[in-house]
Amino acid sequence: MGASAAAGLQAVVARPYIISPTRMFTSRATTSGFNLKVAKQRLTNSSGIFFPQSLCESYPSASSKYCRVVTRAMSGKTEKETAYGLPIDLRGKRAFIAGVADDNGYGWAIAKALAAAGAEIIVGTWVPALNIFETSLRRGKFDESRRLPNGSLMEISKVYPLDAVYDTPEDVPEDVKKNKRYAGSSNWTVKEVAESVKNDFGRIDILVHSLANGPEVTKSLLETSRRGYLAAISASSYSFVSLLQHFLPIMNPGGASISLTYIASERTIPGYGGGMSSAKAALESDTRVLAFEAGRKGQIRVNTISAGPLGSRAAKAIGFIEKMIDYSYSNAPLQKELLADEVGNTAAFLVSPLASAVTGSVVYVDNGLNTMGLAIDSSTLAT
């Protein structure tokens, strides 16, 4: 599960849980007393316990096999019965995910991972994108993307219109109120959405911030206007502060909040401009401060995931996302495609009880690219 809890299979007391899919490398040897070769068959007993299924592929050039292990919901008669697998159990938990507007970004992948672990999903969608998103959901255009490991479709309990740039109705300019893209929608400021969620659901356990926007992202920092710079900060970092500020009162103690950042917060990425690198740096700094404040005030953990480049619709606004993906593939320690699901699985771990002592952290999910100080595909190295 990327940077998540799947360091291997180990015995746990059999009890109800759901875990999202994980991928791992394993030798043919027995792991924690359970031979993965046996797991190719679905094993059950009369009490309905399901054991992990391992779908393995052998590679002639290596002594290892690549296995995709799927652990299904489990139940047992007594605590004496044991099953194998480390559970991520989010059943009975409710998650609000801000920033889901299609089915190909990190926000969607996080929603799926949390749903696969049993959480109830609520989303906040940018107001101008709301109609298209809800229409696509209703017409089944996302059905294949909604499919979970157990074959069911991810259910979204409710979709709220949201523009996290505005905290209260009083903050909304007249031109935005009259904008036809906002026509027909109401109660979409951060404060109003938090109040609506409270009225509809009572409380939540998980808050996910998957929002970023820089109107001048294609400009260098020297060319960025004050207005563009502050807009990037407002939409990409302060929006997280505002969300946690308004949702914290309705979050259950022991809950968790996560956001998404990028390596440009600490390394120079030419072309990632308009103040976006500054916004990501602010987001990471705020994560540490909010971890203290929300931890002391509400027993809420706060972390951020520094994800590698993904060719999502939103990322294409940068203008060279495909080159960023190619660069990552060529230079990261793990030379493979970064999947949105890997970020989703890491998020599921971070908001689960397995990460109960993890807060204020930046967790890298980028195939290790953050560790590199030299581009090994540089032409200067070939001379």
Side-chain angles (χ1 to χ4, degrees), residues 345-363:
N345 290 340
T346 303
F349 161 69
L350 286 173
V351 303
S352 78
L354 294 179
S356 59
V358 180
T359 193
S361 297
V362 177
V363 179

Side-chain angles (χ1 to χ4, degrees), residues 22 179 238 250 263 376:
T22 90
N179 192 310
Y238 185 78
I250 65 169
I263 192 66
I376 60 176

Side-chain angles (χ1 to χ4, degrees), residues 104-124:
N104 69 347
Y106 285 138
W108 179 270
I110 291 172
K112 281 188 65 178
L114 301 190
E120 180 181 5
I121 305 300
I122 311 166
V123 304

Side-chain angles (χ1 to χ4, degrees), residues 217-218 270-272 312-324:
V217 67
T218 58
Y272 189 73
S312 65
R313 187 172 302 145
K316 290 178 181 177
I318 299 172
F320 61 104
I321 186 64
E322 295 301 330
K323 291 182 179 179
M324 295 169 70

Side-chain angles (χ1 to χ4, degrees), residues 11-137:
V12 296
V13 175
R15 57 185 178 84
Y17 67 86
I18 296 176
I19 184 169
S20 53
T22 90
R23 291 180 172 86
M24 65 183 72
F25 279 97
T26 179
S27 67
R28 295 178 185 270
T30 299
T31 304
S32 298
F34 182 74
N35 192 327
L36 289 176
K37 293 172 68 177
V38 177
K40 289 183 179 180
Q41 299 179 355
R42 175 175 169 177
L43 303 179
T44 66
N45 65 13
S46 58
S47 65
I49 293 180
F50 291 86
F51 290 94
Q53 288 181 279
S54 178
L55 308 178
C56 303
E57 298 177 26
S58 298
Y59 291 84
S61 60
S63 60
S64 297
K65 295 191 299 180
Y66 183 62
C67 300
R68 185 171 185 269
V69 179
V70 179
T71 307
R72 301 180 181 275
M74 302 183 67
S75 63
K77 292 179 179 178
T78 69
E79 292 186 356
K80 294 181 179 180
E81 294 175 331
T82 59
Y84 293 88
L86 190 61
I88 290 183
D89 186 354
L90 298 179
R91 288 178 302 171
K93 306 296 183 181
R94 183 175 295 119
F96 180 84
I97 304 171
V100 179
D102 55 39
D103 66 339
N104 69 347
Y106 285 138
W108 179 270
I110 291 172
K112 281 188 65 178
L114 301 190
E120 180 181 5
I121 305 300
I122 311 166
V123 304
T125 299
W126 188 46
V127 184
L130 180 66
N131 184 55
I132 294 176
F133 180 67
E134 288 190 315
T135 300
S136 297
L137 274 176

Side-chain angles (χ1 to χ4, degrees), residues 25-333:
F25 279 97
T26 179
S27 67
R28 295 178 185 270
T30 299
T31 304
S32 298
F34 182 74
N35 192 327
L36 289 176
K37 293 172 68 177
V38 177
K40 289 183 179 180
Q41 299 179 355
R42 175 175 169 177
L43 303 179
T44 66
N45 65 13
S46 58
S47 65
I49 293 180
F50 291 86
F51 290 94
Q53 288 181 279
S54 178
L55 308 178
C56 303
E57 298 177 26
S58 298
Y59 291 84
S61 60
S63 60
S64 297
K65 295 191 299 180
Y66 183 62
C67 300
R68 185 171 185 269
V69 179
V70 179
T71 307
R72 301 180 181 275
M74 302 183 67
S75 63
K77 292 179 179 178
T78 69
E79 292 186 356
K80 294 181 179 180
E81 294 175 331
T82 59
Y84 293 88
L86 190 61
I88 290 183
D89 186 354
L90 298 179
R91 288 178 302 171
K93 306 296 183 181
R94 183 175 295 119
F96 180 84
I97 304 171
V100 179
D102 55 39
D103 66 339
N104 69 347
Y106 285 138
W108 179 270
I110 291 172
K112 281 188 65 178
L114 301 190
E120 180 181 5
I121 305 300
I122 311 166
V123 304
T125 299
W126 188 46
V127 184
L130 180 66
N131 184 55
I132 294 176
F133 180 67
E134 288 190 315
T135 300
S136 297
L137 274 176
R138 188 170 56 252
R139 294 181 178 177
K141 291 185 177 181
F142 296 155
D143 281 1
E144 190 57 37
S145 299
R146 289 170 58 202
R147 197 164 302 282
L148 299 176
N150 65 1
S152 66
L153 298 183
M154 174 179 67
E155 296 293 337
I156 298 177
S157 295
K158 189 164 185 176
V159 179
Y160 290 90
L162 170 68
D163 193 329
V165 169
Y166 305 106
D167 301 323
T168 68
E170 293 73 30
D171 298 329
V172 183
E174 285 300 320
D175 63 319
V176 174
K177 292 178 180 178
K178 297 177 180 178
N179 192 310
K180 63 180 182 180
R181 297 195 298 172
Y182 288 75
S185 295
S186 60
N187 301 322
W188 42 260
T189 64
V190 176
K191 180 181 179 181
E192 291 173 301
V193 173
E195 291 174 346
S196 296
V197 170
K198 179 181 179 180
N199 292 334
D200 294 338
F201 295 94
R203 305 184 70 82
I204 66 170
D205 304 277
I206 299 164
L207 177 66
V208 179
H209 176 277
S210 180
L211 299 166
N213 183 50
E216 298 180 16
V217 67
T218 58
K219 293 182 179 180
S220 69
L221 191 55
L222 285 174
E223 297 173 330
T224 300
S225 68
R226 181 184 297 270
R227 182 177 181 178
Y229 184 95
L230 294 178
I233 294 287
S234 175
S236 308
S237 53
Y238 185 78
S239 57
F240 182 47
V241 177
S242 180
L243 279 168
L244 192 52
Q245 179 184 107
H246 288 90
F247 276 86
L248 185 61
I250 65 169
M251 293 186 72
N252 290 316
S257 181
I258 55 173
S259 63
L260 291 167
T261 185
Y262 181 51
I263 192 66
S265 63
E266 55 185 281
R267 307 286 176 85
T268 301
I269 307 293
Y272 189 73
M276 282 303 300
S277 57
S278 305
K280 293 302 185 182
L283 181 64
E284 293 180 16
S285 178
D286 292 343
T287 294
R288 291 183 284 272
V289 176
L290 291 171
F292 171 77
E293 296 183 356
R296 291 300 181 92
K297 189 173 183 178
Q299 299 179 48
I300 301 299
R301 296 181 296 104
V302 183
N303 294 290
T304 188
I305 296 174
S306 184
L310 177 74
S312 65
R313 187 172 302 145
K316 290 178 181 177
I318 299 172
F320 61 104
I321 186 64
E322 295 301 330
K323 291 182 179 179
M324 295 169 70
I325 293 173
D326 291 342
Y327 177 87
S328 177
Y329 183 88
S330 298
N331 294 284

